[in-house]
Amino acid sequence: EPGGGAVILELRVKDGQKVKRDDIIAVLSNYPTADTEVRTAEAKLLKARQQREAMVSGFRVAEIAMQEAVVRTETETNKLKQLQFQRSSMPPDEKQLELSISQQNVEREQAKLRVWKEQLTADLAQSETEINILTAKVDDARNAREQALVRSPLDGVVAEVYSRQGERIHANGIVKIVDLDQVRILAEIDDIHVSRIVVGGKVEVTFR
């Protein structure tokens, strides 16, 4: 960034410290905002999932089950009336009127059940879409938060610190990390110790 980059909110290493790959080296100044956005996105996603769960197992499903029972009752009542009117001495026009009213009741309850089921299906589909969108937002927020953390790219030792806590990132970066698993050292040995040097022997090296 212009002006040297983001400000270091927290520096978690020091000179000579050993670090492992993916250890957090520093926390940048935009981390608190990014972390808040993650928590907000996760809360919205949790709320959407709870609402969908309520749709699947809550009162709306119970209402549909009750309406199905009403439809069955109305259907059986209509069939019973048809059987009764076959043996009834009522005038034909009155029979037809009663049967028509009974059939309308069945159709009305069936239509109500159909509308409720279609509405629930549509609401579930909309909820699923919303959950997918919120899940993507959570992933984006987590990625943004992760970018506010500087991690070590390798196992090694902190050889030099360029940027301190509260400072903007130096042009050279934050720290220099070197891998000392394989090093080549050119050293001068006193004559009195030459006889102790053998190929393959172990040595202990210290630096001033």
Side-chain angles (χ1 to χ4, degrees):
E1 295 182 4
V7 174
I8 298 177
L9 184 67
E10 181 182 352
L11 184 64
R12 297 189 178 181
V13 295
K14 58 185 179 180
D15 289 321
Q17 180 177 334
K18 292 183 178 180
V19 295
K20 294 187 177 297
R21 181 182 180 90
D22 292 331
D23 282 352
I24 296 177
I25 300 299
V27 179
L28 303 184
S29 55
N30 60 327
Y31 180 84
T33 300
D35 186 56
T36 300
E37 291 178 354
V38 169
R39 295 177 186 275
T40 301
E42 288 176 342
K44 290 181 178 179
L45 177 59
L46 178 60
K47 181 180 178 180
R49 286 174 173 170
Q50 289 175 342
Q51 289 175 340
R52 187 181 189 283
E53 184 64 25
M55 289 183 192
V56 173
S57 59
F59 71 95
R60 294 182 63 180
V61 175
E63 284 183 339
I64 289 176
M66 292 177 62
Q67 185 61 24
E68 289 175 339
V70 170
V71 170
R72 288 194 296 269
T73 300
E74 290 292 339
T75 302
E76 294 300 325
T77 301
N78 185 43
K79 291 179 180 179
L80 180 60
K81 284 185 177 181
Q82 291 177 357
L83 293 175
Q84 290 176 345
F85 288 158
Q86 288 177 359
R87 303 173 184 176
S88 174
S89 59
M90 291 176 61
D93 56 343
E94 291 185 12
K95 290 182 180 180
Q96 185 62 33
L97 180 60
E98 290 290 337
L99 289 175
S100 177
I101 293 173
S102 179
Q103 181 63 31
Q104 288 177 3
N105 289 337
V106 173
E107 292 174 355
R108 182 176 62 253
E109 298 300 335
Q110 288 176 338
K112 185 186 296 184
L113 176 61
R114 184 167 57 254
V115 169
W116 285 4
K117 285 185 175 181
E118 290 175 353
Q119 185 63 44
L120 178 59
T121 301
D123 289 346
L124 287 174
Q126 182 178 355
S127 176
E128 188 66 27
T129 301
E130 183 180 1
I131 288 174
N132 291 336
I133 293 173
L134 291 175
T135 300
K137 289 184 177 179
V138 168
D139 291 340
D140 291 341
R142 287 174 177 171
N143 289 335
R145 183 178 64 179
E146 180 62 28
Q147 290 174 1
L149 299 174
V150 181
R151 297 181 181 273
S152 174
L154 74 163
D155 296 344
V157 176
V158 177
E160 191 171 358
V161 176
Y162 299 119
S163 305
R164 301 291 178 177
Q165 184 170 320
E167 298 177 348
R168 284 189 172 273
I169 296 176
H170 191 272
N172 292 334
I174 299 175
V175 296
K176 178 191 288 186
I177 299 175
V178 295
D179 180 6
L180 297 179
D181 285 344
Q182 293 185 7
V183 294
R184 183 168 302 195
I185 298 174
L186 178 63
E188 294 182 357
I189 307 297
D190 291 340
D191 292 343
I192 59 175
H193 299 306
V194 170
S195 61
R196 299 171 55 188
I197 302 301
V198 295
V199 177
K202 292 183 178 181
V203 297
E204 183 176 310
V205 179
T206 60
F207 298 92
R208 295 180 184 179

